[in-house]
C-alpha cells in the first residue's frame, strides 16, 4: 500500500470514530425506544438474565441449555419486534447501523481490505496527487491520435508525429503494466502542446486507481514547495515535504525549465533526481526543452543522471490547443492545423 504510516493511522482513526459514533447513536435510539415503550426494557433485561442462567446450566453440564436458550430468546425477540412495529418504529431501529455493512466499519473483511477502505485510500491519494480534477478528462480513454499527422516529419529523427506518439503511447502503457515489477523513468520532451502533460496524466490516473501514491508538480511549484519546507517554519507533527517527494511511488515533474533556474533549484533538482534513482522510485518528467538545452541549463551531473536513467520520448507536431481552436472556428481535423 502506498500510504505513509501517519496517513494510514489517520484513516484508521476515521474508522474508529465511525464505530464510536455508531454505538452512540444506537444508545440514543435505545433510550428513545425505552422511553416510548417501557416494556422493551423488561424484555431486554429478561434476555440478559436468561443468557446468564442458561450459561450457568451449560457449565454445569446441561447439554440442552443451549437449544432451549435459543428458543426462549427467539420468543422474547419476537415480542420485542412486535412492540416496535405496533409503536411505528422502523424495522432494524434497535440494530447497529453501519456506514459500510460489509466490513461493519472496520475497514477490513477478515485480513482483506474492504472496498470502502480501498476507495478511501484512492480518494486520499488523489487528493495528495494535486491531480484531483484534471484526470476525469485527461486519461487513456480520452486520448486521441487524431491530432498527430503522419505527414509532419521530425527533421531530427525522420519520424512522423504519428509514429512518435504511437511509440510514446505504447511506452506509457508498458510503464503502467510493469509498474509493480519496476518501471523505468520517463522523459517526455519536444514541441509545445503535443500531449506530454496529457500522457503523464494518463499514467497517473491508472496508477492512482491501483492505489499507488502519485504526486504531481509543475517544476516551478515543486521548487517553491521544497523551498518552503527548507526555509519555512517547521511543524514537528508533520512529515517533511522532502520525505513525500522522495518516497511517493511516482513523482511527476511537469514543464521542466519553466522555473527560474538558480543555484537552489539546480541543487534541489539534483537531490530529488538522485535520491529517487537510488531508492528505485520512478519519475516522469516533461519539458519543452531540447536535450541540449537541458544539459546547458542544469549541470553535467544532472544530464548524466537523466541520460543514463530515463527512457527519452521525443514528441513532435502541431500545437493541439491551436488545432482545437481552429476546429472550433470551423476548420477541419485532418491531422494538421
Amino acid at each position: 500500500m502506498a500510504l505513509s504510516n501517519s496517513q494510514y493511522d489517520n484513516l484508521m482513526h476515521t474508522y474508529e470514530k465511525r464505530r464510536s459514533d455508531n454505538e452512540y447513536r444506537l444508545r440514543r435510539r435505545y433510550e428513545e425506544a425505552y422511553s416510548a415503550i417501557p416494556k422493551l426494557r423488561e424484555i431486554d433485561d429478561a434476555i440478559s438474565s436468561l443468557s446468564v442462567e442458561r450459561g450457568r446450566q451449560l457449565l454445569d453440564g446441561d447439554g440442552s441449555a443451549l437449544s432451549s436458550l435459543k428458543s426462549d430468546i427467539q420468543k422474547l425477540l419476537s415480542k420485542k419486534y412486535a412492540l416496535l412495529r405496533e409503536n411505528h418504529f422502523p424495522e432494524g431501529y434497535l440494530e447497529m447501523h453501519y456506514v459500510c455493512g460489509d466490513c461493519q466499519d472496520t475497514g477490513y473483511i477478515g485480513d482483506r481490505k474492504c472496498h470502502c477502505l480501498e476507495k478511501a485510500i484512492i480518494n486520499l491519494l488523489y487528493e495528495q496527487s494535486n491531480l484531483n480534477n484534471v484526470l476525469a478528462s485527461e486519461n487513456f480513454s480520452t486520448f486521441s491520435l487524431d491530432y498527430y499527422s503522419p505527414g509532419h516529419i521530425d527533421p531530427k529523427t525522420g519520424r512522423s508525429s504519428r509514429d512518435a506518439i504511437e511509440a510514446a503511447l505504447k511506452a506509457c502503457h508498458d510503464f503502467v503494466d510493469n509498474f509493480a515489477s519496476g518501471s523505468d523513468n520517463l522523459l517526455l520532451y519536444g514541441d509545445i502542446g503535443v500531449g506530454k502533460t496529457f500522457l503523464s496524466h494518463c499514467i497517473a490516473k491508472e496508477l492512482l486507481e491501483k492505489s499507488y501514491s502519485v504526486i504531481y508538480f509543475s517544476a516551478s511549484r515543486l521548487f517553491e514547495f521544497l523551498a518552503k519546507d527548507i526555509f519555512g517554519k517547521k511543524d514537528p507533527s508533520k512529515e517533511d515535504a522532502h520525505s513525500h517527494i522522495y518516497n511517493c511511488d511516482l513523482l511527476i515533474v511537469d514543464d521542466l525549465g519553466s522555473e527560474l533556474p538558480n543555484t537552489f533549484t539546480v541543487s534541489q533538482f539534483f537531490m530529488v533526481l538522485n535520491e529517487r534513482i537510488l531508492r528505485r522510485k520512478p519519475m516522469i518528467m516533461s519539458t519543452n526543452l531540447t536535450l541540449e538545452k537541458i544539459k546547458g541549463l542544469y549541470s553535467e551531473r544532472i544530464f548524466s543522471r537523466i541520460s543514463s536513467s530515463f527512457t527519452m520520448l521525443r514528441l513532435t507536431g502541431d500545437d493541439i490547443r491551436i488545432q482545437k481552436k481552429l476546429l472550433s472556428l470551423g476548420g477541419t481535423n485532418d491531422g494538421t492545423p
Side-chain angles (χ1 to χ4, degrees):
M1 185 174 64
L3 298 180
S4 67
N5 289 337
S6 62
Q7 288 173 319
Y8 179 78
D9 290 343
N10 286 337
L11 270 184
M12 289 297 99
H13 178 70
T14 299
Y15 276 90
E16 183 181 341
K17 184 178 185 305
R18 189 178 290 175
R19 293 193 300 274
S20 177
D21 290 344
N22 294 342
E23 292 168 1
Y24 171 75
R25 285 191 286 266
L26 179 60
R27 288 196 299 271
R28 293 296 301 270
R29 291 197 298 275
Y30 262 99
E31 290 170 5
E32 181 185 355
Y34 284 162
S35 177
I37 315 170
K39 183 68 175 175
L40 281 178
R41 189 187 295 274
E42 296 177 20
I43 292 175
D44 283 337
D45 288 344
I47 289 173
S48 297
S49 298
L50 193 60
S51 299
V52 172
E53 178 187 341
R54 293 294 193 275
R56 289 198 187 103
Q57 292 174 355
L58 278 171
L59 290 174
D60 290 339
D62 183 352
S64 65
L66 183 59
S67 60
S68 64
L69 172 65
K70 290 180 179 178
S71 174
D72 291 343
I73 285 181
Q74 189 55 52
K75 290 175 184 177
L76 290 169
L77 287 175
S78 296
K79 291 180 182 179
K80 177 178 178 178
Y81 297 144
L83 282 171
L84 287 168
R85 286 193 298 272
E86 290 168 8
N87 288 271
H88 309 294
F89 282 90
E91 185 176 351
Y93 189 72
L94 294 183
E95 295 174 5
M96 188 72 79
H97 296 171
Y98 299 104
V99 176
C100 178
D102 294 334
C103 68
Q104 298 186 347
D105 293 341
T106 63
Y108 284 84
I109 301 173
D111 59 355
R112 179 174 55 85
K113 293 187 196 71
C114 180
H115 58 84
C116 68
L117 178 56
E118 293 281 9
K119 186 174 186 300
I121 290 171
I122 290 172
N123 289 342
L124 181 60
L125 293 173
Y126 263 90
E127 183 180 336
Q128 172 185 281
S129 72
N130 299 323
L131 291 168
N132 237 343
N133 299 317
V134 70
L135 298 188
S137 58
E138 297 193 4
N139 52 70
F140 282 127
S141 66
T142 62
F143 189 90
S144 173
L145 293 172
D146 293 343
Y147 299 102
Y148 301 89
S149 171
H152 188 295
I153 305 300
D154 180 3
K156 288 194 173 183
T157 64
R159 290 202 307 176
S160 71
S161 171
R162 176 63 68 91
D163 289 340
I165 193 60
E166 287 178 347
L169 195 57
K170 181 182 184 306
C172 291
H173 278 292
D174 290 344
F175 184 93
V176 171
D177 294 341
N178 299 322
F179 195 81
S181 56
S183 293
D184 292 333
N185 303 295
L186 295 181
L187 174 67
L188 300 162
Y189 75 104
D191 294 340
I192 294 172
V194 290
K196 300 183 292 295
T197 299
F198 198 117
L199 282 176
S200 67
H201 289 169
C202 293
I203 292 173
K205 181 173 176 59
E206 294 296 313
L207 295 180
L208 284 166
E209 293 294 335
K210 295 180 179 181
S211 296
Y212 289 106
S213 59
V214 178
I215 295 181
Y216 167 94
F217 277 106
S218 65
S220 57
R221 281 285 296 116
L222 173 63
F223 295 119
E224 287 175 12
F225 185 68
L226 294 175
K228 187 179 293 185
D229 183 57
I230 293 172
F231 303 116
K233 186 177 180 180
K234 297 286 186 181
D235 183 346
S237 68
K238 294 183 178 180
E239 296 179 72
D240 65 276
H242 283 74
S243 175
H244 288 297
I245 298 301
Y246 293 157
N247 293 311
C248 64
D249 293 320
L250 174 64
L251 174 65
I252 299 175
V253 181
D254 189 30
D255 208 9
L256 185 66
S258 62
E259 78 284 359
L260 179 63
N262 53 44
T263 304
F264 173 79
T265 58
V266 170
S267 65
Q268 286 297 303
F269 183 31
F270 177 79
M271 191 176 301
V272 169
L273 192 64
N274 198 52
E275 279 295 324
R276 289 194 64 86
I277 290 171
L278 290 174
R279 299 182 192 205
R280 299 184 182 277
K281 296 286 189 178
M283 288 182 68
I284 297 176
M285 297 192 299
S286 67
T287 182
N288 298 327
L289 299 174
T290 64
L291 296 181
E292 292 78 10
K293 286 185 178 179
I294 293 174
K295 186 175 182 180
L297 192 60
Y298 300 103
S299 66
E300 188 73 38
R301 288 194 307 168
I302 286 176
F303 187 76
S304 175
R305 293 293 192 281
I306 293 173
S307 59
S308 62
S309 303
F310 282 70
T311 297
M312 299 187 186
L313 303 173
R314 177 174 165 82
L315 303 183
T316 59
D318 299 303
D319 191 322
I320 293 171
R321 288 179 290 268
I322 295 176
Q323 293 187 58
K324 289 181 176 179
K325 181 67 174 178
L326 290 173
L327 283 172
S328 70
L329 296 174
T332 59
N333 186 14
D334 60 357
T336 59

